[in-house]
Amino acid sequence: MNPRALPLLAALSLVLPALASARPADAPAATRCAVPHLRAEIGEAAWAEPSLARSACDQTPVGPPANPTIGSSWDWYLWRLAGFPVADLRSCTVRGMGDHCYVVVEDSQWNVNIDQTRVDTIVDFFENSSLGSTPNQGIWDLNTAAFGDPPDNLDQDPRVYILYYDFDVSSDGFFWSFDQQCDDVAQFHSNECDVIYMNCSDFDPAGSYLLAVLAHEFEHLIHYNYDANEAGWVDEGLAELAMWYFGDPDNISQFNTQPDRQLTVFNGNWYDYIKSYLWTLYFYERYGGTPSIRALVAEPANSIAGYDAVLDAQLYSENFDDVFSDWVVANYLDDPSIGDGRFGYVGETLPAFQPFITVSTYPIGPNASGVNHWAADYARYQSASSPTMTFDGSDTNLFAVRAMLFEPPATTQVVDMPLDALQAGLLTLPTIDPADEVVMVYASKSTAGGTAYQYGASEAQVDAPEIPTGFALQLSVAGLPTSDPRVRFALPAGAPASLDIVDVSGRRVRTLAQDLPAGAGEIVWDRRDDAGHAAAAGAYFVRLVQGDESRVAKTIVVR
């Protein structure tokens, strides 16, 4: 059934949010790409469906003529997007050509919003030049090297069409998937060629901003050729990276002041573009550069699974969770000089990220808060004497909690807070002098589960209470967390008792003692396992067993 005749389909809403960021001088505030909204409103399955049957079209009256040249004119379907998408047939003319492109302009816009000088500039930047680190390469070379080749099954013309017309919505450009199917079978009208649509009525079509957007939209066309149903947040992040390759990436704003935004969701807000851009740039810089980006475009698995597949194929030991946990720290620090460079960017300078709270009076908490899936909160702590940080997240989620220790002139340190199986942990830190500070990162690294957590901090570390000798089996660990746990116990007279260290998976790490006598005692665990190796930092359980009775106490071991 042809949806062009289905009035019951919901109207496509493209009321796009204003872009709240500074842009280049030739790019005032506006929205970016219409593709995410088209995909959402039309439906992902429908959007990807034309990729299943791409072949040459020879039975329809639409589409480019054979061997068009400068001056060739024909009617194009141009989309009105301020509602359910409706196509109008309008005359457009080829005004410029390069080895890899035709520049086509709606006739009503010629010498109004776009002229020959601008067309020549567009052709030059698409074919020959850019603003970044490789100025002698144009958009075609940059994008095809990074992402792959555009489709060419339908029009069988190696050139790409770039069509400029006056949009009826505040959007800069888009790629229309139904152009990859013949007009007589497509769910929507098709121009039956490889085309990118650009708005010529809001900004200078030949200005650096819209040239960068052209690179963005060209990535969508290429990506569709390899993986038509890739998750929108991945596709948009790669399209943002195309702007970076070109040399005019988006200005970083909004996301740094609202960092609690889910990475794997893209709704077309400005912070969605920025978080997707930063993630993709970080992945590019840390995990293989252009070869990994090209592999990601061609990878049939989507979203997180696609990233994991590329990491595995490129023989990295990290998975998506690991990369994400480092990325949220890198966004705050942006300092590649720390450690192996994983906590910063090379090709971008980030503005300051904003903590949701600054603490200088203790104790605090436990306070209730929450963080979105695949997102992070930052909390700043100042002036504290050997503070103990606490965290307790939803048992149904997975969290990553880290402390960033700023003690100039010393190098900033990043310290993990070990979390147990119930997503709870403690971390005792050095004294925070007035000139220093600690920033805690509370990150959710899961797609599902509860998003609530509790956080707190106190200056005084409290040991477990002393255990008197008495009538019952008793156990505790003093100094929590610690690097040398002191295990305290009390045993009534009776059967011999044993004392074991168990990790969070239930595996016995070490037997501290067997045949313990009755009475009170204390044993220091020196962190060695039964093989004599130092046990890793993290959460452990101490298990005391006497006859049919047992007790378990938790300890957090730090480096």
Side-chain angles (χ1 to χ4, degrees), residues 392 395 418-425 504 539-541 554 556:
D392 189 2
D395 298 349
L419 301 180
D420 62 24
L422 299 180
Q423 304 302 296
V504 293
Y540 294 88
F541 297 94
K554 181 175 71 175
I556 304 294

Side-chain angles (χ1 to χ4, degrees), residues 386-410:
S386 188
T388 295
M389 307 298 182
T390 63
F391 180 88
D392 189 2
S394 170
D395 298 349
T396 60
N397 201 343
L398 293 174
F399 294 88
V401 181
R402 280 173 158 170
M404 297 179 283
L405 282 62
F406 297 90
E407 301 173 294

Side-chain angles (χ1 to χ4, degrees), residues 105-360:
V105 180
E106 178 192 1
D107 289 350
S108 68
Q109 296 301 298
W110 187 240
N111 288 324
V112 176
N113 287 315
I114 186 167
D115 55 23
Q116 193 62 55
T117 299
R118 288 180 169 84
V119 167
D120 293 343
T121 299
I122 292 164
V123 171
D124 180 62
F125 275 99
F126 194 82
E127 302 286 355
N128 305 313
S129 59
S130 59
L131 304 176
S133 60
T134 54
N136 294 325
Q137 288 186 295
I139 292 170
W140 172 275
D141 288 335
L142 293 171
N143 276 33
T144 55
F147 309 116
D149 297 321
D152 195 27
N153 298 325
L154 207 64
D155 62 11
Q156 298 182 2
D157 185 332
R159 291 183 177 89
V160 169
Y161 289 88
I162 309 166
L163 198 159
Y164 288 84
Y165 75 98
D166 181 7
F167 288 14
D168 67 334
V169 295
S170 181
S171 178
D172 298 328
F174 66 97
F175 154 70
W176 180 244
S177 72
F178 298 96
D179 288 324
Q180 294 300 305
Q181 201 172 55
C182 300
D183 187 57
D184 56 345
V185 297
Q187 291 184 334
F188 291 83
H189 278 304
S190 168
N191 283 309
E192 298 184 353
C193 62
D194 308 320
V195 54
I196 302 159
Y197 300 93
M198 297 294 295
N199 190 357
C200 65
S201 60
D202 291 340
F203 310 131
D204 182 357
S208 62
Y209 170 64
L210 278 192
L211 288 169
V213 175
L214 174 58
H216 177 117
E217 304 304 336
F218 186 32
E219 188 282 334
H220 288 316
L221 176 63
I222 293 171
H223 206 144
Y224 196 87
N225 191 37
Y226 293 88
D227 191 4
N229 66 345
E230 177 59 87
W233 74 273
V234 177
D235 192 12
E236 289 298 326
L238 290 163
E240 287 288 292
L241 188 66
M243 299 176 70
W244 178 85
Y245 277 114
F246 177 73
D248 192 14
D250 277 325
N251 294 330
I252 300 168
S253 61
Q254 200 176 98
F255 176 55
N256 60 302
T257 60
Q258 304 174 44
D260 183 12
R261 300 293 180 178
Q262 184 169 342
L263 171 63
T264 58
V265 169
F266 196 100
N267 291 321
N269 299 296
W270 181 243
Y271 52 74
D272 290 321
Y273 287 101
I274 300 306
K275 63 182 170 63
S276 297
Y277 162 53
L278 290 179
W279 165 265
T280 312
L281 178 62
Y282 181 79
F283 182 82
Y284 162 84
E285 291 187 343
R286 289 289 306 167
Y287 294 98
T290 296
S292 290
I293 293 300
R294 193 176 178 107
L296 185 64
V297 172
E299 171 56 48
N302 295 331
S303 193
I304 293 172
Y307 273 101
D308 277 335
V310 171
L311 288 167
D312 289 344
Q314 304 282 21
L315 303 180
Y316 288 100
S317 60
E318 294 92 336
N319 59 20
F320 184 90
D321 298 16
D322 302 322
V323 180
F324 174 81
S325 298
D326 288 341
W327 175 66
V328 295
V329 176
N331 286 340
Y332 195 94
L333 289 180
D334 189 22
D335 188 349
S337 71
I338 300 173
D340 65 357
R342 70 184 56 212
F343 298 127
Y345 295 79
V346 176
E348 185 61 88
T349 300
L350 274 60
F353 272 60
Q354 183 172 306
F356 75 93
I357 190 172
T358 297
V359 179
S360 57

Side-chain angles (χ1 to χ4, degrees), residues 27 93 96 101 116 268 350 397 477 497 509 517 544:
T93 300
C101 72
Q116 193 62 55
L350 274 60
N397 201 343
V477 181
V509 174
L544 179 65

